[in-house]
Amino acid sequence: QGQLVESGGGLVQPGGSLMLSCEAPGRDFSDYARGWFRQGPEKEREFVAAISWRGRRTYYADSVKGRFTISRDLAKNAVFLQMDGLQPEDTAVYYCGAESSVLGSTALSDYAYWGQGTRVTVSS
């Protein structure tokens, strides 16, 4: 843990957008699938989006499909989550993870590496 660093969270009004970034200083995760999870107030951590090791496959939770887009930049060893149409129910701490399968996973238990999280608050 602690080998991934998220950034880009903040306070945004409903309907607004944010882009989260996840970088991995000091370790090459280019051969790992990556994912984003979130944990809202008094909720368990839940899957948001995942991307395969070369970026050819993406997966989304039904609650964010059509609003969020996951992408990765292999050269920068980074993963991004573009979030549009944010709603109050998207308020959570967002965590970036890395897991060793090449296809990507929606399962929390598959992720061995995590960042510390970045907080997103959607409120008017």
Side-chain angles (χ1 to χ4, degrees), residues 5-63:
V5 180
E6 302 96 335
S7 62
L11 173 64
V12 63
Q13 292 186 343
S17 298
L18 284 174
M19 175 174 273
L20 305 184
S21 299
C22 175
E23 299 183 6
R27 179 165 182 146
D28 182 7
F29 280 105
S30 60
D31 289 342
Y32 284 70
R34 307 283 286 276
W36 288 95
F37 288 70
R38 67 186 181 187
Q39 187 165 10
E42 300 182 0
K43 294 182 179 179
E44 295 187 353
R45 193 173 298 191
E46 64 176 5
F47 169 73
V48 175
I51 190 166
S52 62
W53 71 312
R54 285 295 177 261
R56 292 183 183 135
R57 296 192 182 195
T58 57
Y59 311 84
Y60 296 95
D62 287 343
S63 59

Side-chain angles (χ1 to χ4, degrees), residues 87-103:
Q87 299 300 320
E89 53 265 34
D90 296 315
T91 294
V93 177
Y94 284 71
Y95 296 90
C96 172
E99 58 96 9
S100 58
S101 79
V102 297
L103 295 179

